[in-house]
């Protein structure tokens, strides 16, 4: 669905300045493209950049809606939607200096202190050698009035989506999948790392048929939020996560989430 431009849509020059200021498009590439732009309105510039591959359809829609600044979080540029995760919607993103695609969860700005604690936690998670079936927590930080969490992109279909589309897995496939996932979790536990928020949304099936355990660290951040007077998560994200996690929690965890 096309998002209509705001009533006070900027002209092409103002829009180019905004894209440069927000760093939605790399400065050198934007300068080259603007030099080639045949002229027209701000909407025409958006269409031109979309046709040249400088903007994704997701980015173009946000720019048309006057929300270009929301597309950049520190060194990351949001490029599209990436399904749902523990805390809600996830976004595909790209790092300004690294080619590997990532997924990002954005939450409203809450506690900068808790965000710093979470960043230290992310560094601790990255200190050990990760299991190949586990997508590690790459980064936690705050920018532009929002918190964000970053994981590597997994070329895989979330188990929840696969079951919704095709029904329950055959028993043999389910046992094999859970066996591999349990091995990945055991490797995490050996490093003193507990996932703590494992649901069908956090297990994906790769093209090779093997699982990928996603959103490592989400459970620890959720527990930290529930225990703290001022957590990093907003109430809506925490409630969304707690409801999803408790639906698949062990009985002892359901009785005492903390």
């Amino acid at each position: 669905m096309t998002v209509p431009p705001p009533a006070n849509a900027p002209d092409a020059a103002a829009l180019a300045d905004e894209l440069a200021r927000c760093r939605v498009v790399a400065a050198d590439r934007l300068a080259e493209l603007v030099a080639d732009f045949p002229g027209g309105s701000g909407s025409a510039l958006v269409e031109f950049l979309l046709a040249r591959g400088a903007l994704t359809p997701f980015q173009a829609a946000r720019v048309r809606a006057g929300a270009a600044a929301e597309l950049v979080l520190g060194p990351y540029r949001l490029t599209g939607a990436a399904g749902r995760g523990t805390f809600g919607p996830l976004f595909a993103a790209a790092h300004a200096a690294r080619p590997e695609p990532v997924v990002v969860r954005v939450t409203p700005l809450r506690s900068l202190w808790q965000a710093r604690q979470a960043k230290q936690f992310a560094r601790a998670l990255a200190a050990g050698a990760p299991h190949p079936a586990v997508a590690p927590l790459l980064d936690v930080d705050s920018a532009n009035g929002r918190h964000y969490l970053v994981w590597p992109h997994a070329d895989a279909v979330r188990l929840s989506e696969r079951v919704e589309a095709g029904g329950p897995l055959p028993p043999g496939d389910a046992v094999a999948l859970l066996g591999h996932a349990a091995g990945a979790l055991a490797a995490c536990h050996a490093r003193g790392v507990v996932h703590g928020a494992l649901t069908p949304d956090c297990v994906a099936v790769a093209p090779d048929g093997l699982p990928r355990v996603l959103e490592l660290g989400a459970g620890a951040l959720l527990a930290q939020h529930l225990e703290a007077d001022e957590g990093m998560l907003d109430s809506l994200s925490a409630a969304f996560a707690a409801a999803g996690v408790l639906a698949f929690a062990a009985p002892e965890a359901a009785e005492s989430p903390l």
Side-chain angles (χ1 to χ4, degrees), residues 95-162:
H95 191 281
R98 295 195 292 266
E100 298 82 7
V102 295
V103 294
V104 174
R105 172 64 173 117
V106 184
T107 68
L109 189 67
R110 295 276 290 177
S111 168
L112 288 174
W113 165 249
Q114 294 293 351
R116 286 193 290 270
Q117 296 290 94
K119 193 172 182 67
Q120 293 175 4
F121 172 69
R123 292 195 190 101
L125 286 184
H131 189 280
V134 177
L137 178 62
L138 297 177
D139 197 3
V140 180
D141 213 332
S142 304
N144 296 343
R146 292 171 292 167
H147 298 306
Y148 61 90
L149 298 88
V150 183
W151 293 274
H153 168 76
D155 183 18
V157 178
R158 291 181 184 255
L159 185 57
S160 57
E161 296 173 355
R162 178 164 175 173

Side-chain angles (χ1 to χ4, degrees), residues 25 28-38 45 48-49 52 54:
V25 181
D28 54 349
R29 187 180 186 199
L30 181 61
E32 293 176 359
L33 290 168
V34 169
D36 291 339
F37 178 54
L45 177 60
F48 177 79
L49 295 176
R52 293 294 185 94

Side-chain angles (χ1 to χ4, degrees), residues 192-219:
V193 175
V194 177
H195 189 287
L198 199 67
T199 73
D201 285 333
C202 291
V203 177
V205 184
D208 59 10
L210 297 177
R212 299 292 184 270
V213 177
L214 310 179
E215 296 188 78
L216 185 67

Side-chain angles (χ1 to χ4, degrees), residues 20-110:
R21 183 176 66 256
C22 297
R23 296 177 290 112
V24 175
V25 181
D28 54 349
R29 187 180 186 199
L30 181 61
E32 293 176 359
L33 290 168
V34 169
D36 291 339
F37 178 54
S41 66
S43 295
L45 177 60
V46 172
E47 292 300 323
F48 177 79
L49 295 176
L50 181 61
R52 293 294 185 94
L55 294 176
T56 68
F58 172 85
Q59 291 173 323
R62 299 309 300 154
V63 171
R64 291 191 194 102
E70 296 179 3
L71 293 171
V72 177
L73 291 164
Y76 302 97
R77 296 186 182 98
L78 304 187
T79 58
R84 67 177 184 262
T86 300
F87 301 128
L90 294 167
F91 298 95
H95 191 281
R98 295 195 292 266
E100 298 82 7
V102 295
V103 294
V104 174
R105 172 64 173 117
V106 184
T107 68
L109 189 67
R110 295 276 290 177

Side-chain angles (χ1 to χ4, degrees), residues 182-245:
L185 292 175
C188 290
H189 294 173
R191 295 170 48 209
V193 175
V194 177
H195 189 287
L198 199 67
T199 73
D201 285 333
C202 291
V203 177
V205 184
D208 59 10
L210 297 177
R212 299 292 184 270
V213 177
L214 310 179
E215 296 188 78
L216 185 67
L221 294 178
L222 175 60
Q224 180 190 72
H225 174 87
L226 295 175
E227 291 175 350
D229 293 333
E230 183 185 11
M232 191 186 86
L233 304 178
D234 62 295
S235 298
L236 183 61
S237 296
F240 182 95
V245 169

